Amino acid sequence: MASKTKLAIAGLGVYGAMTGATYLWFKDRKREEISARNTNITEQQRNDAVSLGAKRYDNDIAWDETMMFLPVLRWWMIRKASGKVLETSFGTGRNLSYYSSDCELNAVDINPEMLEVANEKISKMKDKLSNVSLTVVTAEKLPFPDNYFDVVVDTFGLCSIERPEMALAEMGRVCKPDGKILLLEHGQGHYDFINNALDNGAHAHAKKWGCWWNRPIGDIIDNCDLNVASISRFHFGTTWMVEAQPPNTSKSKSLGV
């Protein structure tokens, strides 16, 4: 009887191991297939999608942002900005109302249609923000000198930039050594079921909105050697709020959370 029990337990162990290995194999293969499919959309196609939706962008995402309390997160982060500020991936200027009047705001985005919408907003806010400049340029090659800004801001931009690590390196370059880099991003979350859903919908989402919403934000930031002061994550870990400084200013905190 004892030998039969041991045999049954051993059989269950082998079955469990084979089942687990099979699951992991199919899971990895599925991710590889999704990754290959995602690369079919070019940077130009994504930029074209952004241009096409620029005029309606604010209306299209307003409800979703409100339900996710993103205006609160934007305000909470932007309130830390002061002095000479750079915002990359500025888009339609959804953060404009959160900046204090003493900010000297330099805003850049690769998409001129989005900045046209932002410029219309700025023209209506001159009584509050009188020192704002807009530049059409990629965040991967910023036209500013080293150690120039007190604060660098990026909100939901790493998902759209073709080479996000390069953009982060540029943010670190133009930020003063004692300055702040403030990031509010979306990407992979804490749980596999969330990440699988993001992976499955990534192609369609990028085609419509021009952004990859399933990027590994933690890995991207870690790869750039930023010195991370604080990390907060929301919405099952898919929304990242990060405060950092340029490399070599303090001991960095890992984003492996």
Side-chain angles (χ1 to χ4, degrees):
M1 184 70 179
S3 60
K4 290 183 178 179
T5 301
K6 291 181 179 179
L7 185 61
I9 293 174
L12 288 173
V14 172
Y15 174 77
M18 292 181 65
T19 301
T22 302
Y23 166 76
L24 291 174
W25 183 83
F26 276 109
K27 178 182 176 182
D28 290 342
R29 182 170 181 177
K30 183 178 181 182
R31 283 188 177 275
E32 290 174 1
E33 291 173 352
I34 291 172
S35 177
R37 186 176 67 198
N38 287 349
T39 59
N40 292 335
I41 300 179
T42 66
E43 180 181 13
Q44 185 59 53
Q45 288 173 321
R46 293 192 299 106
N47 285 335
D48 290 344
V50 173
S51 297
L52 185 63
K55 296 294 185 182
R56 66 173 192 273
Y57 180 76
D58 286 330
N59 288 333
D60 284 351
I61 70 168
W63 178 250
D64 289 344
E65 286 215 353
T66 299
M67 293 302 294
M68 296 175 69
F69 293 96
L70 292 183
V72 175
L73 296 183
R74 288 178 183 272
W75 164 78
W76 183 260
M77 190 179 76
I78 299 299
R79 69 189 177 88
K80 300 178 181 180
S82 61
K84 191 183 293 291
V85 180
L86 169 68
E87 183 174 337
T88 59
S89 305
F90 191 66
T92 62
R94 292 187 66 81
N95 295 323
L96 273 169
S97 61
Y98 307 122
Y99 283 105
S100 63
S101 58
D102 64 344
C103 287
E104 179 184 335
L105 179 60
N106 295 261
V108 303
D109 197 286
I110 196 173
N111 191 278
E113 285 78 14
M114 295 290 269
L115 288 185
E116 284 180 11
V117 178
N119 194 45
E120 293 174 5
K121 296 179 182 179
I122 293 170
S123 65
K124 299 174 183 177
M125 299 177 64
K126 289 190 179 297
D127 56 332
K128 180 186 177 183
L129 290 174
S130 58
N131 198 354
V132 182
S133 65
L134 302 179
T135 306
V136 179
V137 68
T138 175
E140 298 168 14
K141 192 175 182 180
L142 296 170
F144 305 106
D146 297 353
N147 310 323
Y148 188 68
F149 293 101
D150 299 299
V151 179
V152 179
V153 174
D154 187 274
T155 60
F156 306 109
L158 296 183
C159 58
S160 300
I161 299 170
E162 186 72 8
R163 290 162 288 273
E165 290 91 348
M166 187 179 297
L168 279 176
E170 279 289 88
M171 294 179 206
R173 178 184 66 79
V174 301
C175 186
K176 294 178 180 178
D178 60 347
K180 299 175 184 176
I181 299 173
L182 305 176
L183 307 173
L184 183 61
E185 310 292 345
H186 62 179
Q188 291 179 358
H190 291 308
Y191 308 107
D192 280 346
F193 78 94
I194 292 290
N195 294 331
N196 289 337
L198 293 176
D199 287 344
N200 288 331
H203 187 273
H205 187 81
K207 190 173 182 180
K208 179 179 180 180
W209 297 104
C211 91
W212 295 117
W213 65 359
N214 62 335
R215 280 182 168 170
I217 297 299
D219 292 342
I220 290 171
I221 297 175
D222 268 344
N223 290 340
C224 296
D225 296 324
L226 295 179
N227 292 296
V228 178
S230 66
I231 310 159
S232 299
R233 295 178 69 178
F234 311 90
H235 311 124
F236 300 101
T238 61
T239 301
W240 295 69
M241 181 183 288
V242 179
E243 181 175 340
Q245 288 184 306
N248 303 321
T249 55
S250 64
K251 186 176 180 180
S252 179
K253 178 180 180 181
S254 174
L255 287 179
V257 296

